[in-house]
Amino acid sequence: MSEMLETVTSFLYNMLPSNEEALVGRLAYVMLGLSVPVFFITVFVKVAEYGRYTVKSSWELTARTAWLFQELPSFAVPVILVLSGRAGRMTQLPNQVLMAMFVAHYFQRTFIFSLLIRGGKKTPFHIFRDAFVFCTYKGYMQGRYLAEFAHYPDTWLADTRCIVGIGMFLVGMAINLHADHVLRNLRKPGETGYKIPQGGMFTYVSGANFFGEIVEWTGFAIACWSLPAAAFAVFTASNIGPRAYRHHKWYLQKFDNYPKSRKAVIPFLI
């Protein structure tokens, strides 16, 4: 019995990361692993209960408050890591540019997007809690990796992978911002109910905002060429891709005149 206990203890000890860089790597692998059940749950079981899928809860937050505070760690954690001095690689220009991309996205999502929300259904506390934990997770993983552990050559910004990745990131962000603008302005002041979004990438897909974000984080992963960035891109697609598919089915059921040629999330394909 004691030998078995020693074996189990030794196994668990060896599973622990030997240093913080190893911890960041483990977190990336965990995120990759979680993307599989998240995908199947979202497709076959249920979608996250916010927005049009909200289920009434005894403890809720306004959409604006929930979004502001749940997204905040994605912006604040990397910034705190850099300002605290735990950022040995931030003297390198490639690290500065890639970190700026990540932080800029979440500055917009935290402080601008949330303030532009018009009404919206309240967010159940458990959804807010889970989102807050996840945003802390990814904020630490991406921020710590880029600030301390990512080693790039001085010529990285001229590398084809970096150039293509940054281009995709910017295009994806532009699609995402435009789609959010379209959705925000579907209803005039005082109007309720849902309408069919038109224009931009909504011409081709029901989840134009989701498509933009998938392109954005795929580009980020290519530009970073790292496991943490790739893990986040895969998890993002596994999470919001099925949500776009659910949106697409919902639109087709609700509107008889919904464009039949429009796909769910990938133009001309899915």
Side-chain angles (χ1 to χ4, degrees):
M1 183 68 178
S2 61
E3 290 181 0
M4 181 183 297
L5 182 60
E6 287 179 8
T7 301
V8 172
T9 302
S10 176
F11 173 77
L12 292 175
Y13 179 80
N14 290 329
M15 286 294 291
L16 292 173
S18 57
N19 53 54
E20 195 176 6
E21 184 173 5
L23 171 62
V24 171
R26 294 281 176 85
L27 290 174
Y29 280 118
V30 169
M31 186 173 285
L32 273 175
L34 288 173
S35 66
V36 177
V38 164
F39 175 82
F40 283 102
I41 289 171
T42 309
V43 170
F44 298 109
V45 182
K46 68 174 183 177
V47 70
E49 297 166 347
Y50 67 89
R52 69 191 62 182
Y53 308 107
T54 298
V55 175
K56 188 69 176 174
S57 173
S58 58
W59 194 1
E60 300 174 324
L61 294 84
T62 65
R64 179 177 291 179
T65 300
W67 198 274
L68 172 63
F69 288 102
Q70 73 188 32
E71 297 291 313
L72 183 59
S74 297
F75 170 80
V77 171
V79 170
I80 290 171
L81 288 171
V82 172
L83 295 180
S84 67
R86 302 179 66 195
R89 303 299 301 176
M90 287 309 292
T91 58
Q92 306 301 310
L93 184 59
N95 298 64
Q96 294 172 0
V97 170
L98 296 170
M99 180 72 86
M101 290 162 59
F102 186 82
V103 170
H105 172 91
Y106 282 106
F107 177 86
Q108 194 278 334
R109 300 302 282 179
T110 302
F111 299 109
I112 299 176
F113 178 83
S114 62
L115 294 177
L116 292 175
I117 292 175
R118 299 178 179 177
K121 294 182 178 179
K122 290 187 176 182
T123 301
F125 179 79
H126 70 278
I127 296 295
F128 164 78
R129 177 202 61 207
D130 293 349
F132 180 86
V133 170
F134 179 70
C135 287
T136 303
Y137 179 167
K138 69 184 175 187
Y140 169 77
M141 185 178 73
Q142 301 297 338
R144 194 73 181 113
Y145 179 78
L146 289 172
E148 188 70 32
F149 306 123
H151 299 270
Y152 296 104
D154 294 337
T155 57
W156 181 249
L157 294 179
D159 188 285
T160 301
R161 290 165 292 181
C162 190
I163 293 171
V164 169
I166 291 176
M168 288 180 64
F169 180 88
L170 294 175
V171 169
M173 178 177 269
I175 292 171
N176 185 248
L177 293 177
H178 179 262
D180 285 343
H181 173 77
V182 170
L183 292 172
R184 222 171 14 247
N185 290 278
L186 278 177
R187 292 189 290 263
K188 297 177 181 178
E191 286 186 332
T192 58
Y194 289 92
K195 295 183 178 181
I196 300 174
Q198 304 284 357
M201 287 305 299
F202 282 113
T203 304
Y204 306 100
V205 293
S206 299
N209 49 334
F210 302 125
F211 171 71
E213 195 153 351
I214 290 171
V215 170
E216 190 176 352
W217 293 120
T218 300
F220 183 75
I222 294 171
C224 290
W225 208 251
S226 71
L227 175 61
F232 180 47
V234 171
F235 187 91
T236 298
S238 299
N239 184 29
I240 64 178
R243 191 173 182 86
Y245 176 71
R246 293 279 188 132
H247 274 27
H248 184 66
K249 290 181 64 178
W250 183 89
Y251 279 124
L252 288 171
Q253 292 171 358
K254 187 172 182 64
F255 297 101
D256 293 334
N257 62 333
Y258 195 74
K260 298 298 186 288
S261 61
R262 194 178 289 188
K263 299 299 183 180
V265 65
I266 305 297
F268 311 112
L269 293 177
I270 303 173

